Amino acid sequence: MSSTAGKLVTSRSELDLDHPNLEDYLHSDSFNEPRGKLRLRDLLDISPTLTEAAGAIVDDSFTRCFKSNPPEPWNWNIYLFPLWCFGVVVRYCILFPFRCITLAFGWFIFLSLFIPVNSLLKGHDRLRKKIERVLVEMICSFFVASWTGVVKYHGPRPSIRPKQVYVANHTSMIDFIVLEQMTAFAVIMQKHPGWVGLLQSTVMESVGCIWFNRSEAKDREIVARKLRNHVQGTDNNPLLIFPEGTCVNNNYTVMFKKGAFELDCTVCPIAIKYNKIFVDAFWNSRKQSFTMHLLQLMTSWAVVCEVWYLEPQNIRPGETAIEFAERVRDMISLRAGLKKVPWDGYLKYSRPSSKHSELKQQSFAESILARLEEK
């Protein structure tokens, strides 16, 4: 038997499936027409079609970063379906009530200690902050326990030092909880409504967290000033920023905002990777409230993830803040096994105007025409 007998040979006809014949789609007379001078009007006539085609490709690549991958069904036959039903009973009727009791017990202990400490030690800020840090770490540990969280940390534990900021990729608001149970970070986060907003304005502000409203332009200046003041403090909690600015599905990383890299301080990257074998930890805030997201986690088998505290980085001579941000994003993406995409995460909340699209369309056609005329 020859050495090639065991190899898979692809026929020419199979390869042609990926390269369709244009003659099958174009009129035969179009191949015989003389080549004339290409005009801008000709390109503009077909540019809407080209724009729609390119837009579909771009939109698919962009929206892929914010889509949950539904689990593949495995209960499709008579042997597996009873096992699946048994798992549903265990998760919803045994684990879920036990987890609710665990979380309720944690909140009872936390509030029983936090309220007196916050009220009675107002004149002893140093002691009060130290106790509140421990209490916030404790309640976050109860949250992780309510998911049967299995978190493996790699690298040295963050410490309180001036002129340093921690940055991490962002999958869900539980990223903050996973990191907070190890170290009481002061996080920069979008202001949320409901009970989450109540916790933000009371409990989380005790560790120095800073909130902003994405729709308020004035908030950017206020937050930037608070960031600079926070990193200069010697007794402030470590500052944590999610520079993507939005939740991504833990398969990709979108562009990092440069704000965290303009503070003239050491940047400490953190890479977070969730294992989707038991549950997808991605939170799509447009389709699911955070309460429902927590319910999904608490009715799953477990939340499994790994956290890497990477080597601190400083901006290099001649390096811009954008280049610095990309270099740190490279480190996080490589460590967590995430794919980099060149999109701004804020595009999820806003789309370009039609006038802007038309200008881009005309500019694109003119650049193509100029290149063809040069040839």
Side-chain angles (χ1 to χ4, degrees), residues 291-303:
T291 302
M292 293 304 298
H293 182 56
L294 285 180
L295 181 63
Q296 178 186 356
L297 299 180
M298 294 177 69
T299 53
S300 66
W301 287 110
V303 174

Side-chain angles (χ1 to χ4, degrees), residues 352-363:
S353 64
S354 58
K355 183 177 180 181
H356 177 75
S357 300
E358 291 175 1
L359 292 175
K360 286 290 185 181
Q361 176 181 314
Q362 183 172 358
S363 175

Side-chain angles (χ1 to χ4, degrees), residues 167 243-244 253-262 267 269 313-316 319-333 340:
V167 298
E244 290 174 297
T253 55
V254 297
M255 290 172 55
F256 280 10
K257 301 296 181 296
K258 64 178 182 177
F261 305 90
E262 294 179 321
V267 174
Q313 302 293 313
N314 291 288
I315 193 167
R316 296 170 180 172
E319 188 176 41
T320 65
I322 295 177
E323 293 171 341
F324 186 23
E326 283 301 298
R327 179 161 60 86
V328 172
R329 182 161 78 114
D330 287 339
M331 294 178 60
I332 293 175
S333 301
K340 289 179 56 182

Side-chain angles (χ1 to χ4, degrees), residues 121-186:
L121 297 179
K122 287 191 177 295
H124 305 80
D125 290 344
R126 191 180 184 89
L127 178 60
R128 177 177 57 83
K129 287 182 178 180
K130 187 175 181 179
I131 297 177
E132 286 176 346
R133 287 172 189 154
V134 175
L135 292 177
V136 170
E137 291 174 3
M138 182 198 69
I139 189 60
C140 288
S141 297
F142 273 103
F143 265 106
V144 175
S146 70
W147 318 322
T148 314
V150 181
V151 186
K152 188 175 183 180
Y153 297 92
H154 308 268
R157 179 173 178 170
S159 58
I160 298 177
R161 293 179 182 176
K163 301 200 71 174
Q164 70 173 5
V165 58
Y166 289 82
V167 298
N169 58 298
H170 197 23
T171 304
S172 167
M173 198 154 58
I174 70 168
D175 299 336
F176 164 72
I177 299 175
V178 168
L179 297 176
E180 198 80 1
Q181 74 159 349
M182 178 65 69
T183 303
F185 285 103

